[in-house]
Amino acid sequence: HHHHHHQPNLQQRRASFPMPGTFQMAGQASKPDSAEELYDTEEGAEATVSMENSIASLMPFWHEVQAMSITDPVSGRAALLLLQTDITSRAELETRMAALTESQLAMLEQMFPRHVLEYMVAKQHSHNSPDLPVRLPSPSQAPNANQLASSHENVTILFTDIVGFTAMSKEVKPDQVMAYLNELFTAFDALVDTYEIYKVETAGDCYIAAGGLTLIDEDGFTCIDPTPDPQEAAQRVLSFAKALLYCAKKVVMPHNGEPTQIRVGIHTGPAVTGLIGTKLPKYSVFGDTMNTASRMESTCPYGCIQISQATHTLLPNHPFT
């Protein structure tokens, strides 16, 4: 309907309630034929929506409403145009992200990039909603892990492992091995933060990291870098590698008290990242670039960093001594 208005030149307004630019229309969804009226008071837009209690939809829903003054093209009188957009899915995702406790979020942030967290939160919701008999996404709408896969052109991958680890493991108790690895890898993790690269995973004594893949967004989440600089990433990974060599020497091997020696291999090339599995899900990196980086490491002399031609090309001015 058209509403007369005492301010024909009313500027565009947004009704703003619990979230910026949005408000929640009470608890139940209205039937399509429910009446909607908008009264504009002196203070600001105030919406009242008449609701029908229908068992079919006991769900909050979120709409964004914009009000604009227009001139009715037929009568020439001032009228109010309402644009109403359903933003329920966006609002629900934000609400569920907010519902994670600080400690849960802090732990998950260390494990997954932001887009994976958002996917998991959405998926969790689509799976278990006993209180929501309706509006469950059909399988086609349910999030699919393959949508999370992304391709990257120039990722610099680093592999490192500990010289003599297998022999040492045979000589000392498992709890000593674990305490030793924990000390070493905790130190490596701190360097990951310092050099702002991404820790891919550890497998036994092997530690894998990548540059040019992620960045930290304004909210402190890890997210995929939309515009990575391959040269800058290669520089950071090589600087990180040098720091690893230095850092490892400070941690002594449990069986002989000698400083830890590691070898490091680095290669740059294309990779794909994605989420694998549902139990202990892992955000993983795939591609032949991983294999080459691993070969760079396994064929490397002790206490050295071996980089491939591809990575070397990105580092024309780097001091290699």
Side-chain angles (χ1 to χ4, degrees):
H1 341 275
H2 298 304
H3 297 275
H4 297 293
H5 206 279
H6 56 84
Q7 282 177 287
N9 62 345
L10 174 73
Q11 292 304 302
Q12 174 173 324
R13 294 204 196 166
R14 282 187 178 207
S16 178
F17 294 97
M19 298 169 65
T22 70
F23 62 90
Q24 187 175 18
M25 295 177 169
Q28 293 85 24
S30 56
K31 287 187 176 163
D33 58 359
S34 71
E36 280 191 31
E37 298 181 50
L38 185 125
Y39 306 102
D40 200 75
T41 60
E42 291 294 328
E43 297 81 49
E46 182 177 291
T48 55
V49 180
S50 86
M51 293 294 175
E52 299 265 346
N53 276 343
S54 66
I55 296 168
S57 46
L58 295 168
M59 283 208 53
F61 57 96
W62 294 78
H63 282 213
E64 189 166 85
V65 178
Q66 287 177 276
M68 281 174 263
S69 67
I70 57 164
T71 304
D72 186 319
V74 181
S75 67
R77 293 191 303 204
L80 202 55
L81 173 67
L82 293 186
L83 295 178
Q84 185 166 335
T85 320
D86 186 332
I87 57 156
T88 303
S89 58
R90 187 181 88 199
E92 284 178 351
L93 188 61
E94 286 174 8
T95 306
R96 290 196 295 277
M97 284 291 276
L100 288 170
T101 66
E102 283 299 309
S103 59
Q104 283 174 316
L105 199 54
M107 182 176 66
L108 289 168
E109 274 176 50
Q110 295 300 317
M111 297 168 65
F112 300 107
R114 182 169 198 154
H115 69 291
V116 175
L117 289 179
E118 290 178 343
Y119 156 81
M120 287 172 160
V121 165
K123 188 177 173 65
Q124 183 69 24
H125 181 73
S126 71
H127 275 340
N128 63 27
S129 312
D131 53 326
L132 312 174
V134 292
R135 275 198 60 229
L136 282 181
S138 62
S140 63
Q141 290 171 289
N144 172 355
N146 292 330
Q147 294 162 2
L148 292 178
S150 48
S151 299
H152 313 269
E153 283 310 301
N154 287 292
V155 183
T156 298
I157 303 285
L158 174 148
F159 273 69
T160 179
D161 81 341
I162 300 162
V163 177
F165 179 79
T166 310
M168 178 271 286
S169 308
K170 291 174 182 163
E171 293 183 36
V172 300
K173 294 195 187 80
D175 59 338
Q176 286 179 281
V177 175
M178 189 174 132
Y180 162 74
L181 269 187
N182 206 12
E183 183 186 353
L184 185 67
F185 286 174
T186 300
F188 287 5
D189 289 349
L191 293 172
V192 163
D193 287 341
T194 305
Y195 291 92
E196 294 182 6
I197 59 175
Y198 184 76
K199 176 180 178 178
V200 179
E201 62 184 316
T202 60
D205 68 315
C206 177
Y207 190 105
I208 309 167
L213 196 57
T214 57
L215 49 79
I216 305 295
D217 70 13
E218 65 279 1
D219 297 325
F221 287 94
T222 299
C223 63
I224 287 177
D225 188 346
T227 53
D229 175 341
Q231 284 191 296
E232 193 265 343
Q235 290 271 11
R236 270 186 294 133
V237 173
L238 187 50
S239 299
F240 170 72
K242 291 176 177 179
L244 288 182
L245 288 182
Y246 180 73
C247 172
K249 285 180 194 163
K250 296 182 184 169
V251 180
V252 299
M253 301 280 275
H255 64 316
N256 59 12
E258 294 288 311
T260 299
Q261 274 202 307
I262 59 170
R263 49 185 155 215
V264 182
I266 302 175
H267 177 55
T268 304
V272 171
T273 58
L275 192 66
I276 301 298
T278 52
K279 299 283 181 203
L280 209 74
K282 203 170 197 77
Y283 183 69
S284 305
V285 182
F286 296 90
D288 196 50
T289 303
M290 294 286 279
N291 298 332
T292 307
S294 177
R295 299 298 167 271
M296 287 290 122
E297 177 258 316
S298 58
T299 59
C300 179
Y302 300 166
C304 293
I305 301 166
Q306 177 163 256
I307 68 171
S308 69
Q309 182 61 52
T311 307
H312 186 268
T313 306
L314 292 170
L315 298 164
N317 307 315
H318 197 95
F320 283 98
T321 50

